[in-house]
Amino acid sequence: MALTFSDVDRFEAARPRLEAIAYRMLGSASEAEDAVQETYLRWQAADVGRVEVPEAWLTKVLTNLCLNQLTSARARRETYVGQWLPEPLLEGDPMLGPAETAEQRESVSYAVMVLLERLSPNERAVYVLREAFAYSHREIAEILDLNEAASQQIFHRAKKHVAQGRARVEIDEAAVRRIVEEFLAAATSGETQPLIKLLTSDAVAVGDGGGKVPARASAFEGARAVAKFLRGLFKPAPAKRNLAGGSPDLYAATVNGGPAVVAVVDGRVFGVMCLERTQEGIVAVRSQVNPDKLERATERWAAGDFGPPVVTEAL
């Protein structure tokens, strides 16, 4: 049956929530858009007049599409070149979804998005629906064809896996710029000691180049190793400028709710370095430089105003 204008409006009203669920489920904005579009095609083919609760129907269809996608994605990531990191989203991107509560903001932080990769598809679905979108266990059970007790057990197991035993701190916009300025001052000083002071003793650094931009296959571990890596990374060199397509300007930005360095060359986002910070210091530096995962960030960058760069022509 052909959709009416009202049917289409119902779907479009649900689209932002569906995209936010799919992004948290898949860690990829482009894959989230594809999953939502496939959900629309299922909506288009359904007898929507017999759907009693459209929101529940759409969420169930989308979630199951994401579960199928996660299963195949695990196989693909076994052959992925280097480390796999989620696609970063700039502040204000509607795909970040609701941010009214601390739990919702935490659920889309870059650190948690990385940790969600440890979960089974079912654990990830239950965690996302419960923690980020406040679905009841009864609703989750209906979406995933479980019983309520199973949903509760899966949620507690997922939450335990995601917990790191560290209390991340809420960071406002002013603090983001201060943290990034302090980090870049240390990183561009040419010395390791200023960086070591900012890092926790067990800090890690990891990058995702997707085989298209050089990135080490394994993480750097420990404050000294991370500091030496960062000192070298921020040391200007012609080869780095050639790789980036020019000398990038470095900006302070909020990415997935946390502080990040955004490297921009001629209006194109070349890299996003997310800084995970606790009360003790910077515990992780995660860099996304795979160009396939920066297209949306470049589009958002062109449409927004992110203030002046912290460092100009860094390389």
Side-chain angles (χ1 to χ4, degrees):
M1 295 178 65
L3 295 180
T4 66
F5 285 118
S6 177
D7 296 330
V8 174
D9 287 343
R10 280 182 179 180
F11 183 86
E12 291 305 320
R15 183 185 290 274
R17 179 180 56 82
L18 295 175
E19 288 188 343
I21 291 173
Y23 170 68
R24 283 172 167 83
M25 285 284 291
L26 302 173
S28 165
S30 59
E31 290 180 5
E33 288 175 337
D34 290 345
V36 172
Q37 185 58 29
E38 180 60 29
T39 302
Y40 175 74
L41 295 177
R42 304 285 180 93
W43 177 247
Q44 193 175 42
D47 184 357
V48 298
R50 301 181 66 179
V51 176
E52 294 182 6
V53 186
E55 178 181 298
W57 189 95
L58 291 169
T59 303
K60 184 180 180 72
V61 170
L62 174 79
T63 301
N64 281 286
L65 286 169
C66 288
L67 288 173
N68 292 337
Q69 180 73 4
L70 280 173
T71 301
S72 62
R74 282 173 177 254
R76 291 200 310 274
R77 287 171 194 172
E78 288 179 1
T79 59
Y80 191 82
V81 179
Q83 298 277 341
W84 188 96
L85 290 175
E87 182 173 345
L89 297 184
L90 299 173
E91 185 73 5
D93 194 314
M95 200 173 279
L96 288 168
E100 286 78 24
T101 68
E103 290 78 13
Q104 288 172 336
R105 293 189 292 274
E106 177 81 350
S107 71
V108 81
S109 70
Y110 206 67
V112 168
M113 292 292 291
V114 170
L115 289 170
L116 288 179
E117 290 296 308
R118 298 180 181 179
L119 305 183
S120 70
N122 259 16
E123 287 174 337
R124 189 162 183 165
V126 172
Y127 181 87
V128 166
L129 293 172
R130 179 65 178 165
E131 193 79 345
F133 295 90
Y135 279 84
S136 69
H137 284 293
R138 178 182 59 79
E139 292 170 318
I140 294 171
E142 291 175 356
I143 290 169
L144 297 176
D145 295 324
L146 304 168
N147 58 54
E148 286 187 55
S151 176
Q152 291 170 344
Q153 290 173 356
I154 291 171
F155 176 68
H156 290 308
R157 188 165 65 243
K159 202 162 185 180
K160 183 178 180 180
H161 287 323
V162 170
Q164 284 186 300
R166 296 180 185 272
R168 280 181 286 273
V169 293
E170 292 268 356
I171 299 172
D172 60 26
E173 188 174 343
V176 164
R177 187 168 184 88
R178 176 178 53 78
I179 290 167
V180 173
E181 286 177 345
E182 187 178 38
F183 173 78
L184 286 176
T188 58
S189 69
E191 301 177 0
T192 58
Q193 199 57 37
L195 280 163
I196 290 173
K197 289 180 178 179
L198 296 180
L199 299 166
T200 62
S201 61
D202 58 349
V204 297
V206 62
D208 178 350
K212 299 184 178 183
V213 175
R216 178 170 157 149
S218 57
F220 292 90
E221 299 181 357
R224 186 164 297 279
V226 171
K228 288 177 65 176
F229 159 68
L230 291 171
R231 182 191 64 187
L233 181 67
F234 283 92
K235 184 178 181 180
K240 295 175 186 175
R241 288 193 292 273
N242 291 337
L243 180 65
S247 189
D249 293 332
L250 304 180
Y251 293 81
T254 302
V255 173
N256 287 74
V261 179
V262 179
V264 180
V265 180
D266 295 330
R268 173 179 57 87
V269 174
F270 173 75
V272 175
M273 179 178 283
C274 296
L275 308 176
E276 182 185 350
R277 190 173 181 275
T278 66
Q279 294 287 2
E280 292 76 30
I282 295 173
V283 68
V285 179
R286 300 183 178 95
S287 302
Q288 183 56 262
V289 290
N290 182 344
D292 294 342
K293 297 183 183 181
L294 295 172
E295 292 178 359
R296 186 179 180 94
T298 294
E299 292 174 4
R300 295 291 303 175
W301 192 267
D305 180 6
F306 296 88
V310 176
V311 177
T312 56
E313 298 186 351
L315 301 180

